[in-house]
Amino acid sequence: MASMERTFALHVPSSTENLALIREFVAAVGVQAGFSPKELGQLELAVDEACANVIEHAYGCDGTKEVTVRAMFDDDSLHIEVIDTGKAFDPGMIQQVEVGTLVSDRKSGGLGMRLMKSFMDEVHYHMVPGEKNELRMVKRLQKG
Amino acid sequence: MASMERTFALHVPSSTENLALIREFVAAVGVQAGFSPKELGQLELAVDEACANVIEHAYGCDGTKEVTVRAMFDDDSLHIEVIDTGKAFDPGMIQQVEVGTLVSDRKSGGLGMRLMKSFMDEVHYHMVPGEKNELRMVKRLQKG
Amino acid sequence: MANPFAITRSNEEGLSILALDGYLDAHTAPQFEKAVEAEFNAGRLKIIVECSHLTYISSAGLGVFMSFVEEIREAGGDIKICGLTPKVLQVFDILGFPVLFDIVEDLPAAIRKYAETPVKEI
Amino acid sequence: MANPFAITRSNEEGLSILALDGYLDAHTAPQFEKAVEAEFNAGRLKIIVECSHLTYISSAGLGVFMSFVEEIREAGGDIKICGLTPKVLQVFDILGFPVLFDIVEDLPAAIRKYAETPVKEI
Ligand SMILES: Nc1ncnc2c1ncn2[C@@H]1O[C@H](COP(=O)(O)OP(=O)(O)O)[C@@H](O)[C@H]1O
Ligand SMILES: Nc1ncnc2c1ncn2[C@@H]1O[C@H](COP(=O)(O)OP(=O)(O)O)[C@@H](O)[C@H]1O
């Protein structure tokens, strides 16, 4: 089978209400790409975390903005882009704190980026100041 | 509650494999708009029929093109647009044949547009030659 | 997701039962069409389509019923439909299928229907 | 769709059981947070979170466990977790939650765990 690229995109208002639809979208694309049920769970989670961060941090919970999720796959891998037009940030400045420390400090957050990195093969932020913020993630297909 | 418009969009390759995702998308938007389970079934069907027609007729089953579904709702109604860049057609030239006649003639098709019109309050085609074909449908919310 | 549509075949009192599970749309209708065609070609003409696990139907699925039923009736058989959920039933209803097909509550009712009226007269 | 997440409260042998159903994400986590807070405020400190019908969890849901457990343990209680499906368990696992929380097979095991080790030592 030739390596044919397939492209999907979803645009939704920046409300946590839409995270469930975002996960359904990612799961539907992931099934077609050929991921296992376990890997689909990982994909859904990584994209959910990325979009939840956009809604909470980039848009400061303003539900009237837009979140875009683009997905492309070929025989080798699935590429995901999460795009927003909210506040940029410097991911290099975010310290990853141990879960044990988060618990001692009674923190309820700080796990999202760790989960994305755990479950995706590549995670890159790409900010275009004043225009958009883009998070690109790649998950490779296991050849079996 | 003020009438706030919410906009969603989905872009998928023009393959029948994606009809299920299109229905999930429409159902998720329809739930937020406030439609009943029965009405959600009607919405899913109308949009599925529209997209199946695009895939089969406008694109001649070429799975490498794109189908776009846009959805907007406010307190009064849900607006759906199905957009393709395939062959245009003249909906006024399509004759609606009775189901009994279709059965006698052993036809397997001819029900799609009838279903859209039955379940949506408005159905309009809008063709921009050489650019795109747009099918606009409206379903009004029952005030209870 | 992996198996969005499935058909289970069985026999009861000389009737062919096709139980549908999942959704029947333009993507999965060809599978249903093949199944009905296989019954017809094997001369199993008294068909019951059991739909209690059918979650969705679009015109592509309805088209399979429309395109086969005349031929099957001419050969002395029929397609009787049972177990439709309200969501799916409203689609059959709005198109006037109840005039053209025997649509009954459940499998026992479909079996009884074959005893009463082997071929629907329309 | 109408009710994507629900919590059912019950009591068994002086333990507070919160059974989760549906998905626990940034949208539904506040509901779970309120439920845990209500147990804490009512002095019902021996909590079991039963997850056999939990279909999904994201960091927003995990954050509820993280932010409450210290306070509950200092007051002599605990949060024990049971019934995780493989899909949900892999999220707890990859973050190292099994070191920080008692995670057991099912409800009877969670009840036994309270008899053995009322408060997890970490
Ligand atoms: N898309 C984003 N826009 C702005 N800031 C972000 C974004 N994603 C993450 N951050 C910052 O990085 C921090 C860590 O993110 P994360 O690991 O997901 O944990 P949490 O979101 O629970 O705080 C956030 O608290 C926030 O300051
Ligand atoms: N999007 C479209 N592009 C081109 N032709 C179309 C489109 N939608 C419908 N048609 C034409 O209208 C006819 C009737 O459509 P429909 O009622 O949906 O039944 P069916 O698709 O089963 O034939 C089709 O056979 C086709 O010729």
Side-chain angles (χ1 to χ4, degrees), chain B residues 24-116:
Chain B
E24 286 178 17
F25 170 78
V26 171
V29 178
V31 164
Q32 288 189 32
F35 287 102
S36 70
K38 189 179 159 183
E39 291 168 323
L40 291 176
Q42 299 173 353
L43 268 175
E44 285 179 60
L45 182 66
V47 180
D48 173 319
E49 296 292 344
C51 294
N53 276 351
V54 163
I55 292 167
E56 185 182 347
H57 303 301
Y59 288 134
C61 299
D62 174 353
T64 68
K65 307 295 180 182
E66 190 176 78
V67 182
T68 295
V69 181
R70 284 164 51 78
M72 291 133 284
F73 68 84
D74 58 21
D75 290 353
D76 297 315
S77 58
L78 173 67
H79 290 242
I80 300 275
E81 294 170 11
V82 174
I83 302 160
D84 69 80
T85 57
K87 269 204 324 267
F89 82 114
D90 182 353
M93 297 296 289
I94 306 297
Q95 297 222 339
Q96 243 171 48
V97 181
E98 278 310 303
V99 180
T101 311
L102 292 172
V103 166
S104 315
D105 295 350
R106 298 162 194 207
K107 288 273 161 54
S108 66
L111 298 176
M113 288 170 69
R114 178 194 307 255
L115 285 169
M116 286 181 234

Side-chain angles (χ1 to χ4, degrees), chain C residues 21-76:
Chain C
D21 192 334
Y23 59 75
L24 190 45
D25 65 2
H27 193 61
T28 57
Q31 219 176 307
F32 180 44
E33 187 177 353
K34 278 203 203 84
V36 174
E37 202 166 25
E39 295 309 297
F40 183 74
N41 290 340
R44 294 187 293 261
L45 301 173
K46 292 173 187 298
I47 298 170
I48 296 173
V49 181
E50 205 285 322
C51 300
S52 59
H53 291 98
L54 182 69
T55 54
Y56 175 82
I57 194 163
S58 75
S59 70
L62 297 165
V64 178
F65 291 97
M66 290 202 307
S67 60
F68 277 101
V69 73
E70 281 278 305
E71 211 165 9
I72 288 173
R73 283 177 184 159
E74 280 175 11

Side-chain angles (χ1 to χ4, degrees), chain A residues 4 6-13 15 17-18 21 24-25 28-29 32 63-64 66, chain B residues 4 6-13 15 17-18 21 24-25 28-29 32 63-64 66:
Chain A
M4 225 251 303
R6 290 180 180 273
T7 303
F8 301 72
L10 176 70
H11 307 266
V12 297
S15 149
E17 203 175 351
N18 293 317
L21 172 56
E24 286 178 18
F25 170 78
V29 178
Q32 288 189 32
T64 67
E66 189 175 78
Chain B
M4 224 252 303
R6 292 180 179 274
T7 303
F8 300 73
L10 176 70
H11 307 265
V12 297
S15 151
E17 203 175 351
N18 293 317
L21 172 57
E24 286 178 17
F25 170 78
V29 178
Q32 288 189 32
T64 68
E66 190 176 78

Side-chain angles (χ1 to χ4, degrees), chain A residues 66-124:
Chain A
E66 189 175 78
V67 181
T68 295
V69 181
R70 284 165 50 79
M72 290 133 284
F73 68 84
D74 58 21
D75 291 351
D76 297 316
S77 58
L78 174 67
H79 291 241
I80 300 274
E81 294 170 12
V82 174
I83 303 160
D84 69 78
T85 57
K87 269 206 325 266
F89 82 114
D90 182 353
M93 297 296 288
I94 307 298
Q95 297 222 338
Q96 244 172 46
V97 181
E98 278 310 302
V99 180
T101 311
L102 293 171
V103 167
S104 315
D105 294 350
R106 298 164 192 205
K107 287 273 161 57
S108 66
L111 298 175
M113 288 171 70
R114 179 195 305 256
L115 284 169
M116 287 182 234
K117 286 178 195 159
S118 300
F119 285 143
M120 301 297 279
D121 293 303
E122 289 178 32
V123 177
H124 296 293

Side-chain angles (χ1 to χ4, degrees), chain A residues 15-17 19-20 23-24 37-39 41-42 44-45 48-49 52 99-100 102-112 114-115 118-119, chain D residues 1 23-28 56-60 62-71 73-74 87 90-91 94-97 100-101 122:
Chain A
S15 149
T16 54
E17 203 175 351
L19 292 172
R23 295 194 299 271
E24 286 178 18
K38 189 178 160 185
E39 290 167 323
Q42 300 172 353
E44 285 180 61
L45 182 66
D48 172 321
E49 295 293 344
V99 180
L102 293 171
V103 167
S104 315
D105 294 350
R106 298 164 192 205
K107 287 273 161 57
S108 66
L111 298 175
R114 179 195 305 256
L115 284 169
S118 300
F119 285 143
Chain D
M1 279 302 244
Y23 61 74
L24 191 44
D25 65 2
H27 194 61
T28 57
Y56 175 82
I57 194 163
S58 75
S59 70
L62 297 165
V64 178
F65 291 97
M66 290 203 308
S67 60
F68 276 101
V69 73
E70 282 279 304
E71 211 165 9
R73 282 177 184 159
E74 279 175 11
K87 182 183 167 187
Q90 70 173 335
V91 185
I94 204 140
L95 293 170
F97 266 58
L100 302 165
F101 288 84
I122 56 173

